[in-house]
Amino acid sequence: MYWPIGAARIYSASPTKRKDHGHHDSEGSQPQVDDEDVILGLRTSRSGHLMATITTTKMTVWQASPTVVLATSSRSAASIKDYGPNVAVFLRPDASIAVVQTSNGFLITYSLIVDPTNQVYQQIHEGATQQKLAGANRLILEQERAGLRELNIKFRMVIRIDAGIAAALTLDNEIIVATRKPAAVQCIKWTPDNAGRQTSTELVSRMSWMARGVSIRAMVYDRAMSLAIWITSDGQAYAVQRRPESSKEPDENQRLFRGYGFHTPLNTNLEATHAAINARFSILAIACVGGEIHIYTARDYAGSIPLSHKLLFPASLSTTGKISCLAYSPDGYGLVVGYEHGWALWSVYGKPGASSFNADANMSKMNDECWLTSVSNVSWVNAGSELLLTSVNDSRICMMEMAKSAVTSCCSSANISRTLLLTSSHLMIYRGFDLPSHATISADASLWQHVAIPVLYLTNQRPIRSVVTSHDGRYVAVAGKRGLAHYSVGSGRWKTFDDPEAESAFVVRGGMCWYQHVLIAAVESDESYELRLYSRELGLNSESLLHVQRLPSAAVVMAITGQDSLLVYTYENVLYHYIVNASDTTVTLFQVGQLALNGIVRAPARVRAVTWILPNFQLRDGDPSQDVAHAAVLFLVDAKLVLLQSSTSDGSPKYDMRVIANNVEYFDLMRDQGTLSDSPGQSLPGSPSGEQPLITGLHADRGIRDSLWYFDGESVKFWTDVEDLLNSASTDNDRYLPVPVSTVTDFYPTCVILNRGIIMGLDPELHQRRDMHFALFRQTIRTQLFLPQILRKHLSDLDPAAASVLAFRYQDLPYFSHALELLLHMVLDDEVDAGVKAEESLLPSVVSFLSSFPDYLDIVVQCVRKTEVRSWRTLFAYLPSPQQLFEESLEKILLKTAGGYLLVLQEFGTSSEQCIRLLQKAKEAGDWDLCKELGRFLMALDPSGDTLKDALGRLGINGEGQINGIAADRSVLLATPRPTKTQNPHWFDGESPRSSGRISSETVLSPNGTADSEDYFSSRSG
């Protein structure tokens, strides 16, 4: 997932004139943009290093990083008159040719020629001292020293399209043009073929797979999938492929394309307008007239493209306006959608992210931040670390820096268990795991450690393509275009290659992982494939390699599993099993097995992650060489979580495959999280002395340690015991898969902190203030408990023993009582809303379970006070009477808890005698604050004050001052103070601060259960 950070950077190739009225922040200050300077189109190259913008009269070519103008081509007045003004721009994928579309149906082509011997800009520092240069941005200085190569724009030719241009695509070998009258598709090669042919045409009416009488109005293409999407004038969408050329057929008989319709609108609002292709996950996004976005899964090239899901509206259609553009990030994990009045981000399977619709429109207009109020074009650059936006009637480009999860580059267990973000030049490491339990859920920005990637490495090898952390969080490694670098969190030091040639001699392909302080990297070097082992304690050079393991083909993914097992999956569809053999002097890899998956995994490149599950007997006493025969392998293929189980048929091993989950963005097997911390103290050469693992876990309970978690874009789902899942998935057992436990969050979950019982994630926030003239984004820590859902699952499965064992493991957490309160509240609300019959109710089991805990009385009263009154009778049908609970609270001297039950007693029509008895107990205990509150409660029961006077008389309090002091304010009722963050630091998002159950003087409750505008009953809906 992606999160915007900081303030946007603005670039413009033309000056923007501002008409001032007084001073620069005046609300009357409006930008004046010439029509000839308004950006009409934005295109980026496949690599993202170049981009082109278009206005009505000129084309500008930019370098993406650092963002500078390299060249501009302006058209003459005669050209504008003959061909018409510019309307669109296209770039050949390798950025060698630019194509400008004009309003009169012409395509003007230009060659973009890079001159490596000349530079566009010369570095000049007038009056700059060495001290000033040292304090400047080192990255910018290094980029300036490297220089910006000169780029020349050379006119090639003008292509006239007599039939009119409806849409166009630029591919590696040709440009495809959809014409209007007649509706046809023309393919124009960049250079003629051997036979001298350069063009070929097919009429839309001759395409049997398309509807009759339609024309094409939009086209997009993805090279990785070799697939295009065509949107027609009737709002349908087609998946289209180019047929291979055949020289045997005459041009008039050739069929150039084949396709299948997959989006057929049922009404005008569902007509397709824009499309985007996500090759990484094999999904297609279609934007509709009414603002909906439909996501389809491309299962094959034979037309099997079913609807996967629909994205939620970020706001109403009147607020957002129609969709103007959309684009997937290069890695496919994020989708940005531009609207007439803003933009929004989603994760690949539909979790909403950042959005501009929370911005103050008046303040955005006053600060002239058009990128918050309208979007016409969007594009990703720098491997997704930066997002480009252009606005309607504006001459500027907005560049937002994005922070992306490390999971997007390497879907490993370590990256999932540790929240690590990557920006264009920094790492953001969350350090809350090292702090006490209550600090883990703090939104304090100081818990983020910002680490700058070495400038020289970033200058030579940007963008960063892969980042991985160790399981204990002590080490981080990054890899760019070539080479790698690694960082120690404890010492704060980077290590890079001293020799640039050694750094550029290999490419990390297949990922990286850490085994204690040893980095294992899958690399490609000189057309050979290797696993290289680097020690954190040694320098980075060819001589410091601990071990090199040759591979027969390139690695796709790899993972550390168990205590010393390394799994490597390669493009030849083979899974290799290595043992990390560590001694006092060296560390080596020893292959103990392999598994051929031909016929099981059809496309090795689609595999995103791999791990396996070994039976307990094999883990304890088994021979590692036999692990392959006993293991159940988990693959994440695209977004499908696939389970392979071994079985024996006729004496030969066989593997059975089953898809156990779909739409998976990431998954985490909890036994992999604790591999290093569970491992015995094994000595490695050169290991840091005195450093202890930062991670601790809950290892005594197998049901939690062996849980399997995944996120599907809507909720976090998990199986509490993977052994039960394996038994159910086995073909020997004709059983359905157990239903996973589901936890819905209103933020994007990044990791599960198992030993603290919470799901942690990030939520973007847009900040605007009147004392600063720009808006900025930042991400905040969000958390949610998962304990209530697991406890409910055990109780619903009639397994209170498992619930008790789980609760015992977590009972020392400071917010454990709150988790039990949520359990009761969740079950009660669901059963009241659903009208569950008494014989089917889960409440009796929940109440019986809660009664075994010492905070039982507090849990019940806190739940009651936050629940609608209509639910009280349902709850107390399975509880002792309120009178009995009140008496039990008095007996245990839980006076404030007993005070909470007074509200319930009053609702059930009992007398004020209990209040007087509690007042007596409070007087004896010297709790005068409670006495005052009880006095107010009695005044609410009897505004005349007679009941209060009688109670004070019975208690022997006859002072006139006390009575007058309380009775003087007849409007004061029983107050229940609301806690502040300083009173209770254990906050959980999604729950009101009132959920702590502490008393707040800001809340006023009357005996009939109603409340004022600051209602303590936070869960009430009416």
Side-chain angles (χ1 to χ4, degrees):
M1 186 53 177
Y2 287 76
W3 296 269
I5 57 173
R9 301 193 297 272
I10 306 298
Y11 300 93
S12 178
S14 58
T16 300
K17 300 177 182 179
R18 182 180 297 275
K19 186 178 179 181
D20 266 339
H21 297 277
H23 48 87
H24 72 281
D25 60 346
S26 171
E27 295 188 15
S29 177
Q30 296 295 332
Q32 304 296 318
V33 181
D34 293 337
D35 292 340
E36 293 184 354
D37 294 330
V38 172
I39 295 177
L40 303 177
L42 170 68
R43 298 282 177 172
T44 56
S45 62
R46 179 189 297 145
S47 62
H49 72 287
L50 287 181
M51 58 185 180
T53 58
I54 201 77
T55 68
T56 56
T57 60
K58 64 183 177 181
M59 178 183 67
T60 305
V61 180
W62 304 66
Q63 180 170 293
S65 182
T67 307
V68 292
V69 174
L70 297 180
T72 298
S73 174
S74 299
R75 293 173 56 200
S76 64
S79 175
I80 299 294
K81 180 179 179 181
D82 293 339
Y83 305 136
N86 303 332
V87 295
V89 63
F90 305 95
L91 279 180
R92 183 172 167 171
D94 60 2
S96 62
I97 299 177
V99 181
V100 174
Q101 176 188 342
T102 68
S103 60
N104 293 346
F106 290 89
L107 296 175
I108 306 176
T109 61
Y110 300 88
S111 294
L112 306 182
I113 303 172
V114 177
D115 186 351
T117 62
N118 294 324
Q119 295 183 1
V120 181
Y121 300 99
Q122 181 180 3
Q123 184 178 183
I124 299 176
H125 299 287
E126 295 182 355
T129 64
Q130 291 297 324
Q131 183 177 4
K132 289 182 179 180
L133 291 177
N137 188 318
R138 291 188 58 201
L139 177 59
I140 295 178
L141 292 179
E142 289 292 341
Q143 289 173 335
E144 289 176 347
R145 290 191 182 100
L148 304 175
R149 293 178 297 175
E150 181 178 322
L151 183 141
N152 298 310
I153 301 176
K154 183 179 180 181
F155 172 79
R156 295 180 82 244
M157 69 175 71
V158 177
I159 304 174
R160 178 177 179 178
I161 309 296
D162 293 329
I165 303 173
L169 285 175
T170 49
L171 309 183
D172 290 322
N173 300 319
E174 61 189 359
I175 179 171
I176 299 177
V177 180
T179 61
R180 291 192 174 96
K181 293 181 181 180
V185 179
Q186 293 185 8
C187 300
I188 308 171
K189 296 182 181 296
W190 298 114
T191 57
D193 57 17
N194 295 332
R197 295 178 301 180
Q198 192 169 3
T199 63
S200 54
T201 305
E202 183 177 1
L203 294 173
V204 173
S205 59
R206 298 185 60 188
M207 300 178 184
S208 58
W209 43 272
M210 290 190 69
R212 298 300 177 189
V214 300
S215 60
I216 300 170
R217 67 183 182 191
M219 296 188 296
V220 295
Y221 175 78
D222 184 84
R223 181 194 181 197
M225 290 188 70
S226 185
L227 186 73
I229 297 178
W230 293 0
I231 297 176
T232 57
S233 54
D234 60 351
Q236 294 194 60
Y238 296 84
V240 182
Q241 277 192 300
R242 183 80 153 86
R243 288 178 180 270
E245 294 185 11
S246 175
S247 59
K248 297 180 181 180
E249 297 183 10
D251 292 344
E252 60 271 13
N253 294 331
Q254 274 196 9
R255 296 292 183 266
L256 302 178
F257 302 95
R258 64 177 176 219
Y260 303 91
F262 64 93
H263 176 82
T264 303
L266 301 177
N267 54 59
T268 305
N269 285 334
L270 297 180
E271 290 184 2
T273 58
H274 299 83
I277 301 175
N278 187 334
R280 191 68 184 89
F281 291 86
S282 300
I283 57 179
L284 315 176
I286 299 296
C288 303
V289 172
E292 289 188 7
I293 300 175
H294 294 199
I295 309 297
Y296 294 86
T297 302
R299 293 178 177 173
D300 53 39
Y301 292 102
S304 179
I305 309 177
L307 178 67
S308 172
H309 59 281
K310 300 177 183 178
L311 298 186
L312 300 175
F313 284 86
S316 65
L317 184 60
S318 60
T319 300
T320 63
K322 294 183 179 181
I323 296 175
S324 58
C325 51
L326 70 164
Y328 278 104
S329 61
D331 53 33
Y333 278 86
L335 173 66
V336 60
V337 180
Y339 294 85
E340 290 179 334
H341 306 311
W343 54 268
L345 275 168
W346 281 271
S347 72
V348 58
Y349 283 103
K351 192 65 176 180
S355 168
S356 67
F357 299 108
N358 297 324
D360 186 319
N362 293 329
M363 195 174 297
S364 300
K365 184 178 179 181
M366 181 178 64
N367 294 332
D368 191 21
E369 293 181 304
C370 295
W371 59 278
L372 290 174
T373 56
S374 69
V375 172
S376 57
N377 296 279
V378 295
S379 186
W380 299 85
V381 294
N382 202 3
S385 295
E386 292 167 331
L387 180 64
L388 303 178
L389 301 168
T390 62
S391 302
V392 179
N393 297 325
D394 195 68
S395 62
R396 298 167 298 174
I397 299 175
C398 164
M399 178 178 286
M400 286 195 303
E401 187 173 11
M402 308 296 289
K404 59 181 179 179
S405 170
V407 178
T408 62
S409 64
C410 183
C411 191
S412 66
S413 177
N415 279 356
I416 295 171
S417 61
R418 292 272 170 175
T419 299
L420 172 65
L421 303 182
L422 171 67
T423 70
S424 59
S425 59
H426 286 72
L427 298 175
M428 299 174 63
I429 305 172
Y430 180 68
R431 301 298 303 276
F433 302 103
D434 312 331
L435 302 177
S437 299
H438 63 83
T440 301
I441 53 177
S442 171
D444 190 353
S446 63
L447 293 178
W448 288 99
Q449 179 178 350
H450 295 255
V451 179
I453 300 173
V455 174
L456 189 58
Y457 180 78
L458 199 60
T459 303
N460 297 329
Q461 311 297 348
R462 69 185 311 165
I464 300 300
R465 294 177 175 173
S466 181
V467 57
V468 66
T469 183
S470 60
H471 275 281
D472 55 15
R474 290 186 291 178
Y475 307 117
V476 180
V478 298
K481 291 187 298 185
R482 306 190 73 84
L484 58 84
H486 51 69
Y487 175 78
S488 172
V489 176
S491 66
R493 293 182 179 180
W494 283 94
K495 288 194 175 179
T496 59
F497 281 88
D498 297 329
D499 183 4
E501 293 185 1
E503 179 182 85
S504 300
F506 67 92
V507 178
V508 173
R509 178 169 296 178
M512 302 177 289
C513 59
W514 287 92
Y515 179 78
Q516 297 190 18
H517 71 285
V518 175
L519 176 65
I520 306 174
V523 306
E524 177 183 354
S525 175
D526 297 329
E527 299 182 355
S528 64
Y529 308 101
E530 303 169 343
L531 295 176
R532 295 185 177 183
L533 275 63
Y534 297 93
S535 172
R536 169 62 199 174
E537 303 307 307
L538 301 176
L540 276 178
N541 52 64
S542 302
E543 291 74 24
S544 64
L545 280 172
L546 297 178
H547 179 73
V548 177
Q549 179 73 38
R550 297 281 181 175
L551 293 175
S553 65
V556 180
V557 292
M558 64 179 182
I560 288 285
T561 182
Q563 293 189 8
D564 54 4
S565 292
L566 174 68
L567 301 180
V568 181
Y569 178 69
T570 65
Y571 278 95
E572 65 178 357
N573 218 346
V574 176
L575 179 66
Y576 293 93
H577 178 210
Y578 296 92
I579 294 296
V580 183
N581 185 21
S583 65
D584 293 336
T585 58
T586 186
V587 180
T588 60
L589 296 179
F590 180 72
Q591 183 181 345
V592 294
Q594 67 182 54
L595 176 63
L597 299 173
N598 296 320
I600 299 176
V601 180
R602 292 186 299 175
R606 314 303 302 178
V607 175
R608 293 197 288 131
V610 63
T611 187
W612 70 15
I613 305 167
L614 291 174
N616 290 330
F617 70 86
Q618 182 67 19
L619 283 173
R620 290 193 305 267
D621 309 315
D623 181 359
S625 63
Q626 299 301 312
D627 284 355
V628 171
H630 296 284
V633 185
L634 279 172
F635 280 100
L636 184 57
V637 184
D638 284 342
K640 294 180 180 179
L641 190 56
V642 179
L643 176 64
L644 298 180
Q645 288 183 279
S646 61
S647 61
T648 304
S649 177
D650 300 330
S652 60
K654 185 179 79 170
Y655 283 86
D656 303 311
M657 182 180 74
R658 185 163 184 177
V659 177
I660 61 176
N662 290 289
N663 295 358
V664 178
E665 297 195 11
Y666 62 83
F667 78 95
D668 195 8
L669 182 63
M670 283 302 162
R671 65 164 62 177
D672 285 345
Q673 274 199 15
T675 46
L676 297 184
S677 58
D678 285 347
S679 61
Q682 189 177 24
S683 175
L684 288 179
S687 62
S689 60
E691 295 188 16
Q692 299 297 327
L694 300 178
I695 215 172
T696 57
L698 219 58
H699 309 302
D701 183 69
R702 185 179 64 86
I704 296 299
R705 186 193 64 184
D706 281 354
S707 56
L708 175 61
W709 301 66
Y710 68 93
F711 177 61
D712 64 359
E714 293 183 358
S715 60
V716 177
K717 297 181 179 179
F718 54 97
W719 290 281
T720 56
D721 191 349
V722 75
E723 295 288 346
D724 186 32
L725 174 65
L726 295 180
N727 293 333
S728 301
S730 173
T731 56
D732 298 335
N733 299 324
D734 189 16
R735 295 173 54 190
Y736 292 103
L737 291 177
V739 178
V741 182
S742 180
T743 301
V744 179
T745 62
D746 60 352
F747 54 88
Y748 190 90
T750 57
C751 68
V752 177
I753 308 179
L754 194 67
N755 61 336
R756 303 186 183 184
I758 60 177
I759 300 170
M760 194 186 84
L762 298 176
D763 199 22
E765 288 186 354
L766 175 62
H767 290 265
Q768 290 178 296
R769 292 170 46 178
R770 293 191 177 276
D771 58 348
M772 62 183 189
H773 307 290
F774 55 88
L776 60 88
F777 278 94
R778 71 176 185 182
Q779 72 284 348
T780 58
I781 298 295
R782 299 286 303 279
T783 57
Q784 183 164 311
L785 283 166
F786 63 76
L787 284 178
Q789 287 78 9
I790 303 183
L791 294 174
R792 181 176 183 173
K793 174 69 166 54
H794 287 320
L795 295 175
S796 61
D797 290 342
L798 304 180
D799 193 359
S804 298
V805 171
L806 177 68
F808 175 77
R809 304 298 176 191
Y810 287 95
Q811 65 180 353
D812 293 333
L813 293 176
Y815 40 81
F816 176 69
S817 295
H818 179 68
L820 298 181
E821 178 191 331
L822 290 178
L823 168 65
L824 179 60
H825 187 85
M826 181 172 55
V827 174
L828 176 61
D829 279 1
D830 290 347
E831 295 198 355
V832 170
D833 294 340
V836 177
K837 297 180 181 178
E839 57 272 17
E840 300 174 356
S841 175
L842 184 62
L843 269 177
S845 300
V846 173
V847 169
S848 175
F849 173 71
L850 295 180
S851 63
S852 62
F853 296 95
D855 294 337
Y856 163 66
L857 294 171
D858 286 307
I859 293 169
V860 172
V861 76
Q862 295 302 330
C863 178
V864 168
R865 296 168 73 176
K866 301 164 199 174
T867 307
E868 297 180 16
V869 176
R870 67 185 180 94
S871 304
W872 289 7
R873 295 192 180 274
T874 302
L875 176 60
F876 281 98
Y878 307 103
L879 282 170
S881 66
Q883 178 65 39
Q884 186 176 344
L885 295 176
F886 174 80
E887 296 292 343
E888 188 175 349
S889 300
L890 284 183
E891 182 180 347
K892 295 181 178 180
I893 318 184
L894 301 173
L895 302 185
K896 291 191 176 181
T897 302
Y901 283 109
L902 287 179
L903 290 176
V904 184
L905 290 170
Q906 204 283 330
E907 177 65 23
F908 281 86
T910 57
S911 67
S912 60
E913 185 64 29
Q914 291 83 358
C915 183
I916 298 176
R917 292 175 54 204
L918 180 58
L919 188 60
Q920 174 67 36
K921 293 284 187 180
K923 170 180 172 293
E924 295 173 356
D927 192 343
W928 299 110
D929 289 335
L930 181 58
C931 290
K932 180 174 65 175
E933 293 175 1
L934 292 173
R936 293 172 177 170
F937 182 70
L938 289 175
M939 283 298 302
L941 290 176
D942 181 10
S944 67
D946 295 338
T947 305
L948 177 59
K949 291 180 182 179
D950 179 62
L952 294 178
R954 292 169 60 179
L955 296 178
I957 303 176
N958 297 318
E960 198 65 19
Q962 290 90 338
I963 297 177
N964 293 336
I966 296 177
D969 185 2
R970 295 176 177 261
S971 65
V972 177
L973 307 181
L974 182 60
T976 49
R978 182 180 307 148
T980 63
K981 290 188 178 181
T982 56
Q983 292 174 317
N984 184 5
H986 313 304
W987 300 95
F988 287 93
D989 294 315
E991 300 298 327
S992 168
R994 306 162 185 152
S995 58
S996 67
R998 302 198 178 183
I999 297 178
S1000 170
S1001 58
E1002 297 176 13
T1003 304
V1004 180
L1005 296 177
S1006 64
N1008 59 9
T1010 60
D1012 66 333
S1013 59
E1014 294 184 279
D1015 193 353
Y1016 185 84
F1017 297 94
S1018 58
S1019 299
R1020 291 188 179 182
S1021 58

